[in-house]
């Protein structure tokens, strides 16, 4: 809504130095000034009210939509790499910074033998993630990529999700990503049940070994 200011046309013009002095004193003793100062002091002394963080000791948690250094994803159930080497990301990249090498695998299928991104040229536009039909290349939240040289490469081994960290693989929720209820449309394969069964038995074994360890520690303490 537009704000209108009322001009007091009858206001007496302050001309003499004495009048100016009196006006300054009045303004200084105004309660608005004191209450403003009290507010500022209160906010300054409040605990945990800092708008800044102590970087690099402290870091803020970034959203999944943040477009930082890329990640190459795996399938959760089969642990295979999602990238099929179609080359769409390489073609769409407006900075021409993606390079990939493919070869024929032992099983007769195309294999991505190497994949690199020149992070010095990348402008983090997200086109590669958006065009990828397999949701294989996505943006991660790793933003600390300062380097001594401008041409700084992320190679496949750096950005591919390690198998032991697969459980923490996070999907990019930005443009081109899967919708939130995408899992409801996927039919699980027999392989899924095998993998889940194996993981459950591994988890139960590790849990039981943990319990045994706890018990032993407790007994040792009691002694
Ligand atoms: S984010 Fe943009 S510039 Fe960077 S690799 Fe992907 S398409 Fe290329
Ligand atoms: S668009 Fe996706 S699947 Fe195709 S080569 Fe790039 S990362 Fe691999």
């Amino acid at each position: 809504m537009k704000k209108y200011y009322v001009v007091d046309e009858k206001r007496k013009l302050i001309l003499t130095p004495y009048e100016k002095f009196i006006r300054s004193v009045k303004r200084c003793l105004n309660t608005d000034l004191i209450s403003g100062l009290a507010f500022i002091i209160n906010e300054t002394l409040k605990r945990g009210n800092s708008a800044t963080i102590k970087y690099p000791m402290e870091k803020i948690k970034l959203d999944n939509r943040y477009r930082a250094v890329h990640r190459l994803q795996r399938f959760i159930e089969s642990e295979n790499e999602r990238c099929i080497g179609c080359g769409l990301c390489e073609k769409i990249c407006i900075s021409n910074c993606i390079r990939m090498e493919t070869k024929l695998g032992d099983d007769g299928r195309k294999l991505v033998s190497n994949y690199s991104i020149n992070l010095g040229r990348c402008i983090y536009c997200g086109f590669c993630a958006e065009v990828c039909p397999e949701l294989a290349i996505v943006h991660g939240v790793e933003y600390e990529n300062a380097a001594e040289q401008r041409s700084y490469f992320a190679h496949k081994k750096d950005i591919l999700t390690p198998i032991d960290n697969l459980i923490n693989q996070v999907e990019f929720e930005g443009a081109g990503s899967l919708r939130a209820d995408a899992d409801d449309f996927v039919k699980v394969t027999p392989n899924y049940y095998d993998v889940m069964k194996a993981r459950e038995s591994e988890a139960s074994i590790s849990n039981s070994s943990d319990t045994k360890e706890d018990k032993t520690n407790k007994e040792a303490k009691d002694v």
Side-chain angles (χ1 to χ4, degrees):
M1 207 173 93
K2 202 170 177 181
K3 279 187 180 175
Y4 293 94
Y5 296 94
V6 180
V7 178
D8 183 5
E9 290 174 0
K10 289 178 191 162
R11 191 178 64 169
K12 188 174 168 274
L13 276 178
I14 293 174
L15 298 170
T16 64
Y18 176 73
E19 283 172 339
K20 283 181 185 172
F21 171 73
I22 293 294
R23 184 182 63 178
S24 306
V25 170
K26 271 186 186 167
R27 281 184 179 172
C28 288
L29 297 177
N30 199 334
T31 52
D32 286 353
L33 179 74
I34 294 161
S35 60
L37 270 176
F39 177 77
I40 297 292
I41 292 167
N42 192 23
E43 287 297 308
T44 313
L45 298 179
K46 232 187 232 174
R47 272 178 163 264
N49 196 30
S50 175
T52 55
I53 57 160
K54 289 175 187 152
Y55 179 83
M57 284 80 78
E58 273 181 63
K59 284 178 193 167
I60 50 169
K61 195 177 178 311
L62 295 169
D63 194 84
N64 287 351
R65 293 174 68 92
Y66 192 82
R67 293 199 302 240
V69 176
H70 307 70
R71 300 226 50 94
L72 275 174
Q73 306 280 71
R74 287 180 188 273
F75 287 112
I76 299 280
E77 53 175 70
S78 65
E79 299 179 353
N80 288 337
E81 293 169 24
R82 285 189 196 173
C83 178
I84 52 168
C86 67
L88 283 177
C89 53
E90 195 182 19
K91 280 204 172 57
I92 204 166
C93 179
I94 48 177
S95 293
N96 201 17
C97 60
I98 298 182
R99 287 284 177 277
M100 55 192 302
E101 288 166 27
T102 56
K103 64 180 183 186
L104 210 60
D106 298 336
D107 55 358
R109 294 170 71 106
K110 198 187 217 178
L111 188 74
V112 181
S113 54
N114 207 355
Y115 191 103
S116 70
I117 302 173
N118 183 342
L119 297 176
R121 287 183 63 98
C122 176
I123 57 162
Y124 301 94
C125 62
F127 281 4
C128 50
E130 198 166 334
V131 79
C132 178
E134 298 293 315
L135 303 173
I137 181 97
V138 298
H139 282 280
V141 290
E142 176 55 51
Y143 58 89
E144 289 166 314
N145 53 343
E148 287 170 355
Q149 290 183 336
R150 182 160 160 69
S151 54
Y152 169 53
F153 290 87
H155 294 284
K156 188 179 168 188
K157 63 175 171 21
D158 306 321
I159 55 177
L160 182 66
T161 308
I163 293 197
D164 55 354
N165 196 30
L166 191 56
I167 198 147
N168 298 323
Q169 179 173 283
V170 180
E171 298 289 339
F172 175 60
E173 292 175 350
S177 65
L178 286 173
R179 47 193 281 184
D181 58 349
D183 280 352
D184 302 342
F185 299 95
V186 178
K187 282 185 184 165
V188 289
T189 60
N191 185 32
Y192 171 84
Y193 294 105
D194 291 343
V195 172
M196 291 316 285
K197 222 175 179 180
R199 282 187 192 162
E200 273 169 20
S201 66
E202 268 174 31
S204 66
I205 289 166
S206 71
N207 279 347
S208 64
S209 67
D210 286 352
T211 330
K212 268 183 198 168
E213 220 171 85
D214 288 348
K215 212 176 170 185
T216 326
N217 288 344
K218 201 173 170 251
E219 278 169 7
K221 269 185 196 170
D222 290 346
V223 171

